[in-house]
Amino acid sequence: MAQSTRTPGQTDSETRDSGVKITPPSSISAASPLNHLHVVMWSGGITSWATARHVIAEHGAASTVLLFADTLAEDEDLYTFNEQASAQLGAPITRVADGRDPWQVFEDKRWLGNTRIAQCSHVLKQEPCREWLTANTDPANTTLYVGIDWTETHRLPAIENGWAPWTVEAPLTRPPYRDKHQLRAEARAAGLIDPRLYGLGFAHNNCGGGCVKGGQAQWARLLKVFPARYARAEAAEVKMRALLGKDVSILRDRTGGDTKPLTLAALRKRVEEQPEQLDLFDEGGCGCFTDLASAA
């Protein structure tokens, strides 16, 4: 696991400064006559910003860490949003990275991530963050904050159990209640960009719109607005199917009452030739910091 400033598409030899301030663990420790550390699990999405805003308003920026695990598969706007939000909140972003992207993880694990199980969440998000927490914090005086909101309170017990022994809080599950549209408006009012994935209809500002836990609607949208990203994912899925020698896929097809694999190549043809057979209610969802019970 590395802490670096490599951006998506760059090799180690091409590493450059991304503009996001990286706080080395030693500087946090050295600057800490602080009694308690507040670590926001920062995804680069609107709810992590709203969570961080709440935490900093209550506890101050000096005792707050914005912990960002970079999948190397993010949209460019996420990095811009990170830079602007860090400056606006007055807290640096601590970036950790495994060094692989999701497709490299799937090859190494010899398992194609899908709408049910996605090891990329565990390997690229949870493990690097847990390593950082283990090395740099004491669970006795550290609180973690996750960006689930009042519509997702049923997920909190599993999250608390998954991040034990650290204490976990979710400020957005408590009043005043706001939805993502309101939070995005508040972020714009604070001078931040509105990440383009939201405006394009994606539910999350993560993985460039190509989260393997997303459903048919997400992938059809990716095909329409980012065809090159879709083509890369389709080719990677073909490669994984050949590598494993199995009829596996990211998506599932439930037409006719039976559940069977639905490859991205088949979905693309369906979009082009039989759009009426698309399940446009199947958005799926990201849970990289929160779906811990099924990740291990």
Side-chain angles (χ1 to χ4, degrees):
M1 195 259 304
Q3 284 184 276
S4 71
T5 53
R6 190 170 72 171
T7 55
Q10 288 185 304
T11 63
D12 287 333
S13 62
E14 296 171 325
T15 298
R16 64 175 177 82
D17 187 350
S18 68
V20 178
K21 182 177 180 182
I22 298 181
T23 304
S26 59
S27 70
I28 293 174
S29 304
S32 263
L34 306 167
N35 294 323
H36 203 92
L37 193 62
H38 304 273
V39 180
V40 176
M41 310 306 276
W42 181 275
S43 70
I46 192 62
T47 57
S48 57
W49 170 79
T51 299
R53 178 182 61 171
H54 174 94
V55 172
I56 289 170
E58 188 168 320
H59 302 289
S63 62
T64 300
V65 174
L66 310 180
L67 185 58
F68 169 60
D70 194 345
T71 66
L72 305 184
E74 306 296 348
D75 187 73
E76 295 86 344
D77 266 14
L78 179 142
Y79 299 100
T80 301
F81 182 79
N82 280 3
E83 294 172 15
Q84 293 183 356
S86 174
Q88 183 263 330
L89 293 167
I93 287 178
T94 296
R95 176 185 178 274
V96 294
D98 170 86
R100 292 172 289 177
D101 68 17
W103 299 105
Q104 292 169 314
V105 170
F106 299 153
E107 287 192 34
D108 291 345
K109 293 288 186 179
R110 296 186 67 83
W111 178 280
L112 179 61
N114 53 64
T115 53
R116 300 164 301 289
I117 300 175
Q119 308 89 330
C120 48
S121 298
H122 188 59
V123 173
L124 301 183
K125 291 274 191 176
Q126 295 159 14
E127 284 186 353
C129 288
R130 184 171 282 273
E131 288 178 20
W132 188 92
L133 289 166
T134 300
N136 298 287
T137 73
D138 179 354
N141 66 0
T142 303
T143 300
L144 310 186
Y145 299 85
V146 295
I148 66 168
D149 66 18
W150 52 277
T151 66
E152 305 169 291
T153 54
H154 60 283
R155 301 171 69 185
L156 197 51
I159 296 169
E160 292 171 334
N161 181 64
W163 284 108
W166 287 273
T167 299
V168 176
E169 292 190 15
L172 301 187
T173 64
R174 303 189 293 267
Y177 301 125
R178 295 180 178 86
D179 62 27
K180 284 188 176 181
H181 292 289
Q182 291 171 309
L183 296 176
R184 286 169 57 196
E186 291 171 8
R188 291 193 299 270
L192 306 183
I193 66 163
D194 191 27
R196 63 178 172 173
L197 290 186
Y198 292 134
L200 292 170
F202 292 92
H204 306 281
N205 185 36
N206 299 111
C207 287
C211 175
V212 295
K213 297 193 80 172
Q216 292 183 34
Q218 176 211 268
W219 286 98
R221 187 178 300 111
L222 188 73
L223 175 62
K224 178 180 179 180
V225 300
F226 293 119
R229 294 182 188 180
Y230 190 98
R232 187 202 170 199
E234 182 180 323
E237 185 182 62
V238 169
K239 182 180 179 181
M240 282 296 299
R241 286 166 59 86
L243 177 67
L244 299 175
K246 296 179 180 179
D247 183 18
V248 294
S249 64
I250 295 169
L251 296 170
R252 291 180 290 178
D253 184 4
R254 299 181 181 86
T255 56
D258 296 322
T259 300
K260 49 191 175 294
L262 176 65
T263 65
L264 293 179
L267 179 69
R268 174 174 49 79
K269 291 178 182 177
R270 186 173 294 181
V271 169
E272 295 167 350
E273 300 171 7
Q274 298 175 301
E276 70 281 358
Q277 291 192 18
L278 291 175
D279 184 356
L280 296 180
F281 293 101
D282 181 16
E283 281 285 353
C286 167
C288 288
F289 279 131
T290 54
D291 292 344
L292 291 148
S294 61

